[in-house]
Amino acid sequence: MIVRTFNERATALAFPLGGVGTGNVSLGARGELRDWEIFNRPAKGALLPNTFFAIRAQAGDSQPVARVLEAPIQPPYTLSHGFHPITAAGLPRMAGATFRGEYPFATIEFHAPDLPVHISLEAYTPLLPLDPAASGIPGAVLAYTVTNTADAPVKLTLVGSLFNPVGGLALDPYGNLAAGGVGQNVNELRDEAGLRGLLLRSEQFGPNDLQFGELALATDHPNITAKRAWLRGAWYDFLREFWDDLTDDGLLTDLGYDTPSEAGKTDTGSLGLVATLAPGESTTLRFFLTWYFPNRPNSWNVRKPAPTVRNHYATRFDGAWAVARELAGKREYLEAATRQFHNSLFSSTLPPAVLDAVSANIVPIRSTTCFWLEDGRFFGYEGCFDDAGCCD
């Protein structure tokens, strides 16, 4: 199989993360999350505001260095009003990135000479041949490996920030957030044995509503810091407060918002993983990004209005936190089995063209246009198939 590497200039690259029939979000060559197609509809090019990973590292008594864990945003820079603060375009980033895709694993080596650590990312969703349950998890594992390259201990905080989109994201013509369908959104901090993090939900919708859903950003790392909601301010205030809070001491300050967001507004939450590394020491810090948007219109049905159906993963999980618990609780097994499949595929003696075709054709069935339904039928791009090859 031909394996190619890319740098941050590969602006069309999008590596899908997400189980079979669950929708997916893609990882770009810069290290960014893009193409958020987890809401039961195609959404190529869709980005989530304020959603990125960042690191703060301090070697000994030296000045701390903080960077967004993405390579620089690439041209063309042709927006009519420049980049809106919800893109975080003005924050310092890594100097570059090298992307390598060996399905179902994507790896990125980040380059930043001014950081006292070396950072790489391995991202994947479990994929086990002949095991549809393990291969149908609506989520992804993002594992950052950090190595201390300094001569002194390094204190570090690795932070993931995630926008709460439940209800529907909307933008005005200039890229500002518009009201959309959000409102009454809640970012909840949870901490249980083996799993802790943020659950993003809304109190506006019932469980059978098309807009009902949840996102979670969780970790199995024991030492965390969290900000449930960024500053509910305007202009650049929310981004500046978050960045100043992170760079100050590496610990996030919860602003104490105990009420859901106002109508037409929502919040961004941040989860930080805190560690100290001795010179030469490495550690792997994992995030579990999971989603649960169970209801979708049967868009292949000729009757109007289209009836609502439920995705198959709703029969196994009751929310995004349950998905995160599955990924964390079975992580070692799921990762080992997925890696075994990967190694078998890439060590095969079949001709490279055949292997490329095999791996390429795994990806399309993970797209948003293919869903397992609650009753066991499968939605594909040519229709909905049950055991008889058709549907009602």
Side-chain angles (χ1 to χ4, degrees):
M1 179 176 295
I2 300 172
V3 179
R4 299 179 177 88
T5 59
F6 303 86
N7 61 25
E8 64 276 5
R9 293 190 294 275
T11 56
L13 188 153
F15 188 99
L17 301 169
V20 176
T22 70
N24 51 258
V25 57
S26 292
L27 180 67
R30 296 191 298 107
E32 81 281 13
L33 294 176
R34 55 181 292 178
D35 303 344
W36 288 81
E37 300 182 293
I38 64 176
F39 308 111
N40 300 318
R41 59 184 179 274
K44 287 292 183 285
L47 302 176
L48 273 192
N50 303 335
T51 298
F52 57 88
F53 293 85
I55 189 170
R56 177 198 186 270
Q58 183 177 19
D61 296 326
S62 62
Q63 286 293 110
V65 182
R67 295 287 182 271
V68 174
L69 284 171
E70 298 175 9
I73 295 174
Q74 298 299 298
Y77 310 119
T78 55
L79 300 175
S80 65
H81 289 62
F83 288 99
H84 189 272
I86 61 174
T87 66
L91 296 182
R93 283 170 162 71
M94 309 297 277
T98 300
F99 182 102
R100 181 182 179 90
E102 294 184 358
Y103 199 80
F105 292 94
T107 59
I108 298 179
E109 297 286 336
F110 292 104
H111 315 300
D114 55 344
L115 274 174
V117 294
H118 175 266
I119 311 168
S120 63
L121 166 65
E122 180 179 75
Y124 71 97
T125 297
L127 183 63
L128 284 64
L130 306 182
D131 190 340
S135 304
I137 298 175
V141 180
L142 297 104
Y144 289 88
T145 298
V146 186
T147 302
N148 181 357
T149 57
D151 296 329
V154 169
K155 297 179 181 179
L156 67 92
T157 305
L158 185 66
V159 179
S161 296
L162 185 61
F163 179 87
N164 187 336
V166 179
L169 169 67
L171 302 175
D172 71 12
Y174 307 107
N176 305 290
L177 283 174
V182 296
Q184 295 295 301
N185 290 41
V186 175
N187 294 351
E188 177 185 341
L189 180 63
R190 292 191 172 187
D191 192 343
E192 61 183 49
L195 189 68
R196 52 205 56 85
L198 296 169
L199 175 67
L200 280 53
R201 57 184 179 82
S202 176
E203 296 184 350
Q204 183 181 179
F205 306 103
N208 296 319
D209 195 293
L210 283 174
Q211 298 297 328
F212 175 81
E214 297 176 343
L215 275 168
L217 185 65
T219 184
D220 54 5
H221 186 68
N223 192 4
I224 68 167
T225 182
K227 183 189 291 287
R228 290 175 300 154
W230 286 13
L231 181 70
R232 291 175 174 176
W235 298 100
Y236 285 81
D237 293 349
F238 55 88
L239 183 62
R240 176 176 290 279
E241 195 281 335
F242 161 73
W243 196 250
D244 287 347
D245 188 21
L246 171 63
T247 56
D248 179 34
D249 59 3
L251 299 178
L252 300 175
T253 302
D254 191 280
L255 299 178
Y257 298 125
D258 292 323
T259 58
S261 66
E262 298 177 8
K265 296 183 179 180
T266 188
D267 290 311
T268 298
S270 294
L271 175 67
L273 283 52
V274 181
T276 299
L277 299 180
E281 184 181 3
S282 295
T283 189
T284 297
L285 303 172
R286 294 179 184 85
F287 290 95
F288 305 106
L289 174 64
T290 60
W291 54 88
Y292 184 80
F293 292 90
N295 307 316
R296 66 193 309 269
N298 183 346
S299 53
W300 282 272
N301 195 303
V302 296
R303 292 171 292 180
K304 301 297 179 183
T308 298
V309 292
R310 285 171 62 81
N311 294 323
H312 183 67
Y313 65 70
T315 67
R316 299 179 52 209
F317 305 107
D318 61 5
W321 193 258
V323 181
R325 190 183 294 118
E326 176 89 354
L327 278 177
K330 299 180 179 178
R331 182 191 62 79
E332 292 185 1
Y333 162 70
L334 293 171
E335 181 176 327
T338 301
R339 201 173 299 281
Q340 182 178 15
F341 164 67
H342 161 270
N343 292 342
S344 298
L345 185 64
F346 278 76
S347 63
S348 172
T349 57
L350 289 172
V354 175
L355 293 175
D356 277 340
V358 170
S359 63
N361 282 299
I362 294 171
V363 177
I365 65 169
R366 298 171 71 130
S367 76
T368 68
T369 55
C370 300
F371 286 87
W372 285 107
L373 298 184
E374 187 175 23
D375 62 7
R377 295 176 299 163
F378 187 72
F379 264 121
Y381 67 94
E382 292 181 345
C384 173
F385 302 94
D386 57 18
D387 292 340
C390 60
C391 60
D392 296 336

